[in-house]
């Protein structure tokens, strides 16, 4: 039986697509030694509101640090963002059927100080994995000896983690992956096919690509079945 690896950055409160991909793998390599980019999903994500959606953004220190990696990113010292994020989640989701089941955990997360963004993100990701019933090995890319070349780096990951297959995301992944390189290395290269499920949200209408918390708050124990089978 093949052993499947996937890689992805440690996003803040990730959307469902990340968990759909990771949920099919045996190993998730957390790509935290790559360069941090502003205005991405590493330090922000979207939640559902009555007006549609809004960003929740963790303030981070970037001045003079344009080349820092994700694992080096420090959270800004002003603690008010933690109170604001928790209050915003409460305000928009307190009436959903399953918000109360996750409230204690989230309140405890936002009560803590987090010097580094990666630690906050992995704490939240690990919790979400458990809620979706996803069990797999998690490795940090910074602990592996990897080539700087984008494709060879992925091949190195697969070999370093004793896997023989790699799962890439859908969409534009085929445009940059050198599938011949994977074949020559004896690696089966696969592509995730994610169709965003539609489910009842806290407000009328449906907004896709929210944080995965949105599905958990609204659908509770049914969330795993909805995520993987629509």
């Amino acid at each position: 039986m093949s052993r499947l690896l996937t890689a992805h950055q440690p996003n803040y409160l990730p959307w469902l697509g990340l968990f759909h991909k990771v949920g099919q793998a045996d190993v998730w390599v957390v790509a935290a030694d790559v360069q941090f980019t502003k205005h991405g999903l590493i330090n922000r994500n979207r939640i559902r509101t009555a007006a549609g959606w809004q960003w929740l953004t963790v303030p981070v220190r970037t001045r003079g640090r344009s080349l820092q990696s994700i694992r080096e990113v420090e959270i800004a010292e002003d603690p008010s963002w933690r109170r604001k994020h928790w209050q915003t989640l409460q305000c928009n989701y307190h009436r959903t059927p399953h918000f109360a089941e996750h409230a204690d955990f989230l309140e405890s997360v936002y009560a803590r100080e987090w010097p580094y963004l990666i630690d906050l993100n992995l704490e939240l990701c690990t919790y979400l994995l458990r809620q979706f019933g996803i069990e797999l090995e998690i490795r940090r890319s910074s602990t592996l000896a990897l080539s700087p070349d984008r494709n060879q780096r992925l091949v190195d990951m697969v070999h370093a983690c004793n896997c023989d297959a790699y799962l890439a995301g859908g969409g534009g992944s085929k445009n940059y992956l050198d599938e011949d390189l994977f074949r020559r290395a004896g690696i089966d290269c696969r592509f995730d096919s994610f169709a965003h499920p539609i489910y009842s949200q806290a407000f009328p209408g449906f907004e896709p690509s929210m944080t995965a918390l949105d599905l958990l708050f609204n659908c509770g124990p049914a969330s795993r079945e909805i995520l993987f089978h629509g």
Side-chain angles (χ1 to χ4, degrees):
M1 180 179 294
S2 64
R3 186 167 146 87
L4 185 61
L5 177 144
T6 195
H8 206 285
Q9 296 92 339
N11 291 350
Y12 177 62
L13 294 176
W15 77 306
L16 293 175
L18 183 148
F19 293 101
H20 185 269
K21 183 175 76 167
V22 170
Q24 300 173 66
D26 300 291
V27 180
W28 172 21
V29 174
V30 177
D33 60 343
V34 297
Q35 186 175 338
F36 173 76
T37 56
K38 296 181 181 179
H39 312 304
L41 298 177
I42 306 302
N43 67 315
R44 66 175 185 169
N45 229 304
R46 304 194 300 171
I47 66 164
R48 186 73 163 90
T49 69
W53 59 269
Q54 76 174 71
W55 290 110
L56 288 185
T57 302
V58 179
V60 296
R61 301 177 65 181
T62 58
R63 185 181 296 275
R65 308 181 183 198
S66 60
L67 299 180
Q68 67 179 330
S69 66
I70 293 172
R71 65 190 178 99
E72 295 172 316
V73 175
E74 297 180 34
I75 296 177
E77 295 178 359
D78 180 3
S80 65
W81 71 269
R82 291 186 279 124
R83 173 179 51 81
K84 291 175 182 176
H85 283 209
W86 174 229
Q87 289 179 346
T88 302
L89 287 169
Q90 286 180 297
C91 178
N92 289 283
Y93 288 108
H94 72 281
R95 293 183 179 177
T96 55
H98 301 279
F99 175 79
E101 298 165 22
H102 308 283
D104 287 347
F105 168 77
L106 290 168
E107 185 175 21
S108 70
V109 167
Y110 290 113
R112 293 168 57 184
E113 293 185 6
W114 297 93
Y116 288 92
L117 180 65
I118 186 174
D119 295 325
L120 167 66
N121 288 2
L122 286 179
E123 179 78 6
L124 292 166
C125 283
T126 301
Y127 179 80
L128 289 165
L129 287 170
R130 288 200 303 270
Q131 300 311 306
F132 287 122
I134 298 171
E135 297 182 5
L136 80 169
E137 180 183 347
I138 299 176
R139 301 282 297 273
R140 295 197 187 196
S141 58
S142 57
T143 67
L144 307 174
L146 305 174
S147 168
D149 177 77
R150 187 174 193 175
N151 280 275
Q152 185 61 50
R153 171 185 172 86
L154 297 175
V155 169
D156 292 345
M157 284 182 189
V158 175
H159 288 159
C161 296
N162 297 314
C163 295
D164 52 19
Y166 175 72
L167 179 64
S173 296
K174 289 189 176 183
N175 295 331
Y176 71 82
L177 278 185
D178 183 351
E179 295 182 65
D180 287 338
L181 177 64
F182 283 82
R183 279 193 288 269
R184 292 195 300 271
I187 297 171
D188 179 18
C189 189
R190 308 174 190 176
F191 296 89
D192 186 27
S193 178
F194 175 61
H196 201 297
I198 297 175
Y199 52 90
S200 296
Q201 292 181 322
F203 305 100
F206 182 77
E207 289 284 352
S209 303
M210 301 295 102
T211 168
L213 285 175
D214 188 79
L215 176 60
L216 288 174
F217 289 158
N218 286 288
C219 300
S223 295
R224 178 183 171 86
E225 180 68 17
I226 293 170
L227 171 61
F228 290 107
H229 303 292

